[in-house]
Structure formats: structure tokens, C-alpha cells
Amino acid sequence: MMTWLVVGLVLFLGIHSVRIVAPEFRAAQIDARGLNLWKGIYSLVAIVGFVILVWGYGMARQDPLVFWLAPSWMSHVVALLMLPAMILLVASQVPPGRIKAAVKHPMLLSVKIWALAHLLVNGDLASIVLFGALLAWAVVDRISEKKRLRAGITSNPVAGPVKWDVIAVAGGLILYLLFITVLHKWLIGVPPILGI
């Protein structure tokens, strides 16, 4: 039952890791095909991988191999951790304000917090594989980004107007409330806080 989850992770994280493990291949593809076609291929592989991993995770959860059961209060800890994760997710999608400049890579930090939080409450093998893989990928990608920064290939965002921080916090709070009240149960089938 884990096969499709692993296939999805390989596709999804594999395409997201090309810049980490094969930057020359990425550059050659962009030179040969153009940036837009490369982005199209990248997006297609990422979407297919994501769909397969979500489906595979759902299949694997039907017959779980459980290593630990989290206490019910742990869902409140996760809910607390998810608030900054959502704010950082939104901050990654807007122009730099103070948050983005301070954190440098808010999407990677958001993924790390999200994955770690979900590992705290999900002790089954499929969850350990899924969230563990995403956490490991985010750590490796951040290390790779630091190397690209030192090499002068990339640069850190420069602090911009505070309005982008206000948008990030407001948007993250709205997204968080939507997930807590409706979206998590609708999309995943599990209430994010037990008892609601």
C-alpha cells in the first residue's frame, strides 16, 4: 500500500530537488527548451507527483502500521505550531516585507514547521514517510540554498514595506482559521483538533 505514496514522493520531491542535486541539468534544460517550457514540465511533474502522493497516502492510511499514538492534547500543540506555518506560507507568496527578509525562505520554514507538527500527532508508517520526507527535503533544500547564496548564485530578499507583513499575517490567519474550522476535515477527513 506504500508503493504509490513513495512513487508520488519521488516525483514531487524529485522535481523539486533538481536545483539541489543537478543544477547543470536544470540549466541545460532551460537553455535547450526555454524557461517557460521548463516551468511547464516542472509544474506537470510536480502536480502529477502531488496527486499520486495524496492518493497513495490515503490508500496507505486505510491499513496503517502504527508506531505511536499521540495524546489528545498534542493536537492543540500542532494547532499552535500551524499558525506561524500558515503566516510564513502566505509571506512566501507576497513581495518581501520584514518577515520575508528576516526569515529569508519562509516557504521552507513553513514546510519544516508543518511537517514536524504533523509528525508529532501521526505515528503511522505512511505519515512518518510522508512528513519525514518533506521535513528532510526542506532541511536539505535550505542547506543547498545557503551554498547557492555563498556562491553568489542567489541573494536574500531585502526588507520592503510593512504592508506585506500585514498582508502575510492577515492572510495566514484567514487560511489558518479556514483550515481549523472547515478545510482540514473536508480535505483530509480528520478534524485538526480532536473534539471539534
Side-chain angles (χ1 to χ4, degrees):
M1 296 301 283
M2 294 284 293
T3 304
W4 288 112
L5 171 58
V6 172
V7 168
L9 280 168
V10 167
L11 288 172
F12 184 75
L13 294 180
I15 197 66
H16 281 87
S17 300
V18 170
R19 191 170 184 177
I20 300 170
V21 298
E24 298 84 8
F25 172 80
R26 178 181 177 272
Q29 295 303 309
I30 292 170
D31 287 344
R33 293 174 167 70
L35 182 59
N36 287 337
L37 184 55
W38 167 252
K39 285 182 176 180
I41 293 167
Y42 182 101
S43 299
L44 180 63
V45 173
I47 291 167
V48 169
F50 183 74
V51 169
I52 292 172
L53 81 82
V54 168
W55 181 73
Y57 180 63
M59 295 295 290
R61 286 193 324 161
Q62 292 178 17
D63 186 23
L65 175 59
V66 178
F67 292 98
W68 74 81
L69 293 171
S72 60
W73 56 263
M74 189 61 76
S75 64
H76 296 282
V77 174
V78 173
L80 184 63
L81 289 171
M82 288 309 299
L83 180 56
M86 292 295 187
I87 291 169
L88 289 166
L89 177 64
V90 175
S92 73
Q93 302 304 306
V94 298
R98 303 300 192 268
I99 295 172
K100 198 171 199 173
V103 174
K104 298 177 181 59
H105 298 281
M107 175 70 82
L108 291 178
L109 184 53
S110 177
V111 170
K112 288 180 204 177
I113 295 169
W114 171 82
L116 178 61
H118 283 75
L119 280 170
L120 293 175
V121 290
N122 294 287
D124 62 284
L125 181 59
S127 296
I128 293 167
V129 169
L130 174 63
F131 302 121
L134 288 163
L135 178 58
W137 170 82
V139 169
V140 170
D141 194 23
R142 183 65 180 106
I143 292 167
S144 174
E145 182 57 36
K146 285 181 180 178
K147 289 179 182 176
R148 288 192 295 271
L149 181 65
R150 284 194 299 269
I153 298 169
T154 60
S155 60
N156 285 327
V158 177
V162 175
K163 71 176 182 179
W164 299 117
D165 298 316
V166 173
I167 290 170
V169 171
L173 185 57
I174 291 167
L175 188 59
Y176 174 80
L177 291 172
L178 285 171
F179 262 90
I180 287 288
T181 57
V182 178
L183 292 178
H184 197 279
K185 187 170 184 179
W186 181 63
L187 292 171
I188 312 301
V190 178
I193 299 177
L194 297 177
I196 65 169

